Amino acid sequence: MTSPATQRAHWDRVAEQFPDLFPAVSTQYYRDVEIALLRRTVPSWRGLRVLKLDLWNEAVNTRILHWMQDQGAEVYGLDVSTVTVRRARRNAPPAGPAMHLVQADIRALPFASESFDLVYTMGTIEHVEEYRQSVCDVHRVLRPGSLAIIGVPHYWDPFLRPLIVGALELFGCYPYSPEKAFSWPELRRVVTEAGFAVEQRAGILAIPGIIRMADTFLFRRGIRLDGLVSLSLWPFGVFERRWPWFGRHFGYLAAAVVRKPRA
Ligand SMILES: C[S@@+](CC[C@H](N)C(=O)[O-])C[C@H]1O[C@@H](n2cnc3c(N)ncnc32)[C@H](O)[C@@H]1O
């Protein structure tokens, strides 16, 4: 097991390299399809106690925890990187209810058992070898009868993102390494073995991952090709927003909507 300190140092270094990607066109696309998935899955957020794994989105990406708070949820988030936590805290709305953002490891969640009504994680567990342990801990902190949404890179992404990631990793150019991709049967097995009942297969970001990679690569270097990126994402957005099955099968993030059974 990589120690939490090594893990923290690694992700601190990664976080230090990144500007805030929130304004990038592909980030806004990501945010839109994330919100569509959350709206479809959770009819009412008011009063829910929600935990989100990783604060990358709140530090430099989609700010999805802010959206959940705007819907009336009481929000908690954690990340192993102190840099990311600091940046996420800085981005938290100055007024309104507090966001509870802490530095912690997803392999040992620092929360009481049965203390959350929803756990959301999209693109986090695939970065640790002990992803099974993390899913078991998600199960532990959820109240019986509650939902979790667990998203990971999809191994069978038709736009071959895992292959591109593999090639970049080979040359040491993939910033989010290590990252594992899962087939749907594998993800289903992991969540089922943790004790969850699968309610739904879902997925988001049914776009060629290379567009997202190119957009963020250029954005980091101060090059904005917003019109071109919008145009290239437009046809995928039409399908993905209208038909959830498109994201479910072609999304580069596969997600399991799962429930912790009542005892
Ligand atoms: C690639 S980024 C996340 C991407 C983001 N969820 C998204 O979909 O765009 C991975 C995040 O997971 C965090 N992370 C990695 N290992 C972790 C661990 N063991 N515990 C908590 N957070 C971890 C990193 O610090 C980083 O913020």
Side-chain angles (χ1 to χ4, degrees):
M1 167 170 163
T2 316
S3 76
T6 308
Q7 193 90 352
R8 187 178 67 225
H10 167 68
W11 285 103
D12 276 350
R13 271 194 305 278
V14 175
E16 272 157 4
Q17 296 167 23
F18 274 81
D20 190 349
L21 302 171
F22 185 68
V25 170
S26 62
T27 304
Q28 293 304 311
Y29 182 99
Y30 185 171
R31 181 177 159 85
D32 283 356
V33 294
E34 227 179 355
I35 290 174
L37 168 66
L38 294 174
R39 279 194 201 283
R40 277 199 304 276
T41 313
V42 183
S44 169
W45 291 81
R46 196 144 298 282
L48 291 186
R49 197 162 187 255
V50 175
L51 172 64
K52 177 172 178 287
L53 303 194
D54 111 44
L55 290 169
W56 184 262
N57 304 70
E58 290 60 46
V60 299
N61 201 16
T62 62
R63 313 270 206 276
I64 199 65
L65 204 55
H66 299 202
W67 180 85
M68 295 178 192
Q69 186 175 59
D70 289 345
Q71 308 309 301
E74 183 192 355
V75 298
Y76 290 72
L78 66 91
D79 201 288
V80 77
S81 156
T82 40
V83 174
T84 300
V85 174
R86 192 170 351 117
R87 293 181 73 174
R89 283 186 183 148
R90 219 184 293 142
N91 290 339
M99 295 180 108
H100 309 274
L101 310 180
V102 297
Q103 191 276 328
D105 197 301
I106 57 167
R107 297 167 295 181
L109 300 176
F111 300 107
S113 299
E114 304 190 356
S115 53
F116 289 98
D117 303 301
L118 182 85
V119 176
Y120 179 68
T121 166
M122 188 59 72
T124 318
I125 63 163
E126 69 274 15
H127 299 293
V128 295
E129 267 176 49
E130 304 80 6
Y131 53 86
R132 286 191 186 82
Q133 191 177 317
S134 294
V135 175
C136 288
D137 224 22
V138 167
H139 183 273
R140 178 185 66 78
V141 300
L142 268 175
R143 294 191 175 119
S146 301
L147 281 184
I149 302 170
I150 299 176
V152 289
H154 188 206
Y155 188 81
W156 294 112
D157 166 23
F159 303 108
L160 306 180
R161 186 177 175 278
L163 214 63
I164 300 168
V165 167
L168 291 173
E169 279 183 328
L170 214 58
F171 293 100
C173 314
Y174 187 61
Y176 305 145
S177 216
E179 178 182 297
K180 173 180 160 55
F182 294 71
S183 67
W184 169 249
E186 193 178 5
L187 177 60
R188 190 176 49 203
R189 195 166 50 247
V190 170
V191 295
T192 309
E193 283 173 5
F196 284 111
V198 176
E199 295 238 316
Q200 199 194 114
R201 174 180 174 178
I204 57 168
L205 284 170
I207 60 172
I210 194 83
I211 300 179
R212 168 81 172 143
M213 286 175 182
D215 186 34
T216 54
F217 177 85
L218 294 173
F219 189 93
R220 284 171 66 188
R221 283 149 188 84
I223 304 167
R224 304 281 297 262
L225 298 175
D226 292 2
L228 191 63
V229 179
S230 298
L231 194 66
S232 61
L233 291 176
W234 174 77
F236 302 100
V238 170
F239 278 90
E240 189 164 2
R241 289 192 189 94
R242 200 164 298 172
W243 296 295
W245 63 261
F246 193 71
R248 188 179 311 136
H249 293 285
F250 304 137
Y252 76 63
L253 290 173
V257 179
V258 298
R259 195 176 291 281
K260 177 172 178 172
R262 290 180 198 282

